[in-house]
Amino acid sequence: MHKSMARGGGGGESSSGTRRHQPTRDGDHEMALRLQKMMDEEAGYSNHERHHHHKEYPIDSRSLGKAAKPHYASSRDHATPYPKEIQHALDEVQNFTAGVMETTCRKCDSALMRDFNVHRWFKQWTSTKGQPQPTSICSLTCPREECQALTCLGCGEKPRMGKFTGKIDGFHLDWCCESGRLFAIWSFLCEYDNFELAEQDRSQRQVEQSLRQPRQNDFTSTKTQGTGYNLAGGFMHLPHLINTETVYFRKADARTDAFLKQIFSFLVELLPRRSDKSKAAPPALASMIELSLVQDRIAELLRNDSLQDITTRGGLYFAVFELFERLGKHPGTSYLIYEKRFIKKQSNGLFEISTSNDLKGKGKARASHHLTLGQGEDSTNSSLVACISKLGIQSEALLKASRAVKSEFRTASAQDLLEVTERIAKLQLSMKPHSGSGSKSDKEMTWREYNQKYCMTREENILRTVDGRLAAEASSWHHSKPNRIKRLVTEASEMETSLPPNIFVKVDEVRPDVMKCLIVGPEDTPYEAGLFEFDILCPPDYPQSPPKVIFRNTAQGKISFNPNLHADGKVCLSLLGTFPGPPESKWQGANSSILSVLVSIQAMIFIPNPIENVPIGFKGTFKTQIGMSESDSYKSHIQTWTVRYAMLDWLQNNEMRKGLWREVVRAYFERNGRAVLKVVNRWRVANMLLSGFEWELANALQAFQQNRR
């Protein structure tokens, strides 16, 4: 006997109440989202607006370069607070749900949806897991005891059992017709939104509770302390970035991942297949996906910077990739993948949106109660294709690097990692639109574009160029712990897209535990516009122990550029174990990385007032040397050293100018020479120590340009 859903999904209270999808006060995650937004904008595609159901995208990579992407104008309808595209989507979904809600029993004409509750419907349906007979996902039983007739909510007729079926994760799905399938998709999307809103409410309460609890920090040596950042879960906590994104999702946990995988798997089974591409999708299908929170969740998952985390959560991510591909391969849903997304500032979920009469052009005040979109420049966010582009770059880099150390990728965990990266690389290749204008040459690139392209590179014999102490230590090692090289290759691949601006890293192709780094001094600091070099060596037990880092711009051991950068090259950070600090600031093998070290150096050592890095216990000694009232004098000395050893040396010292960083140095001064000179001239006004240096720098830059010719 076939199973069916019982009496209007169980009846009772409304589906979602008044919960709203809105920003959180979780500072760390907000900062992570800020960085992700900035990265999305850097990788984003042009913001052509969409006309939902008359626009098709190429189906495979062979035809991607042939199809020209048309431009459609977009404007907001004065009668509604929404762009025409969203209002059109609202109309389609509401028309569909209005028909469903009016469905009556095919025998006695009793109302079927009067007390419908999505969560009860979902819970009762999922209770059929493992049963051999298919379960109708588009029909309800009449609530009248004397009737009990089964009616399809799509066509209003007796369900035709067995006509359309599917199996996924122990569930045997059955739907009567195309409209019945659309009802099932709508129900799954509504249930997802309800789950997401409930999770966000719970998270918000936790955040508010934590904000009411005062934070204590017993280690207060200085303002910055030189401790360092730990980048857990692939998110970078950088306080100087501006938040332009409001979509917030709780951090991963097993319960959430299992639910997401289940929902995504159901959607994949129900969505039109690639073989159905000649068959028009129901008009409301793409609209309901766009209005739900699922599209934003997919974007959040695809922006994950950690291939290691993605591999650990492989079950969920393979479902995400399948859903991404299914949407992109059908003409009726492809714009959901290729077009920029409208930002939802606030949402009460798809059920409230699609069943409410408040959204039918009756004014902004009432409409915003259920759905509020961003305005102006904050109205759209990057496409899903743009979100996966960085993972594609990482995956290609890891696959290439793994071929050089094949023996390190034979374990089960390494094979899992390769399986994930191969899936991402193939998916990104098949879905990525090709630009007809071609890529820019290096000479045509701006400095920012050059930095993005060459921020992480692999070269031979880097071991020969590092500090002699590190080279000798590295040469004495004959064994490496299991998975160490795999971890290093993975970290290097992730840095292809995760490095902050103005940082370059070179990794030895044969010895990925040996690296060099070049950091451009941040603006508004005495290090501004200088080029600062570091050597990095990861110990045999990495990542249990932190890497060893040596600073190279010391004038052969004469200059200490910072209280945390000693003349002997020592770099003082609690993250490296070379500086005292609270436990949370120290190296944690599971969360810390080379990237976290570089971010810490850039953000916590190269600061506007370097004297703040002096520990309180040493302030007295430091005061006798330069005087606490002479902080400006100390900065003046650093400015002078920056010009001498982080600018002029790169232009005048042949060994440095023509060394490992020659291409980066050339690109830097070609594009930034005038800006560098302006910095020095600005410093010169208040810094008498720089007298004459501005002329020497101007002549060195002129000679550099002439030598290029």
Side-chain angles (χ1 to χ4, degrees), residues 301-302 304-308 310-311 317-318 320-321 324-325 387-396 399 416-432:
L301 290 168
L302 294 179
N304 190 344
D305 278 339
S306 173
L307 288 173
Q308 298 176 82
I310 291 173
T311 303
Y317 269 91
F318 277 106
V320 172
F321 299 150
F324 177 91
E325 188 172 37
C387 291
I388 202 174
S389 63
K390 293 182 180 297
L391 281 179
I393 294 172
Q394 290 184 17
S395 297
E396 291 175 4
L399 290 171
D416 290 342
L417 176 62
L418 290 179
E419 183 181 8
V420 167
T421 54
E422 287 171 355
R423 180 71 174 99
I424 294 172
K426 291 178 181 178
L427 184 62
Q428 203 253 355
L429 179 64
S430 68
M431 305 296 287
K432 181 179 179 181

Side-chain angles (χ1 to χ4, degrees), residues 12 188 313 335 380 402 409 498 518 526 560 585 672 697 701-702:
F188 287 137
R313 305 162 68 191
Y335 80 86
T380 59
S402 66
F409 282 81
S498 301
L518 193 70
S560 294
S585 71
N672 303 298
L697 180 61
L701 286 169
Q702 184 178 13

Side-chain angles (χ1 to χ4, degrees), residues 243-264:
N243 185 19
T244 56
E245 171 69 276
T246 58
V247 172
Y248 168 73
F249 296 99
R250 296 179 67 251
K251 293 183 179 180
D253 60 60
R255 173 174 166 269
T256 300
D257 279 7
F259 177 79
L260 292 177
K261 178 180 179 295
Q262 186 179 61
I263 290 290
F264 292 162

Side-chain angles (χ1 to χ4, degrees), residues 42-59:
E42 292 172 359
Y45 293 84
S46 59
N47 185 19
H48 292 306
E49 300 293 346
R50 52 190 176 267
H51 188 276
H52 287 177
H53 304 297
H54 301 283
K55 189 171 179 184
E56 297 185 5
Y57 287 88
I59 300 302

Side-chain angles (χ1 to χ4, degrees), residues 20-22 344-348 368-373:
R20 297 183 181 182
H21 164 72
Q22 55 190 0
K344 303 177 184 72
K345 291 288 186 178
Q346 177 180 288
S347 173
N348 278 2
S368 62
H369 176 69
H370 294 295
L371 177 66
T372 303
L373 302 181

Side-chain angles (χ1 to χ4, degrees), residues 693-704:
F693 274 104
E694 73 272 30
W695 297 107
E696 184 177 357
L697 180 61
N699 291 333
L701 286 169
Q702 184 178 13
F704 172 79

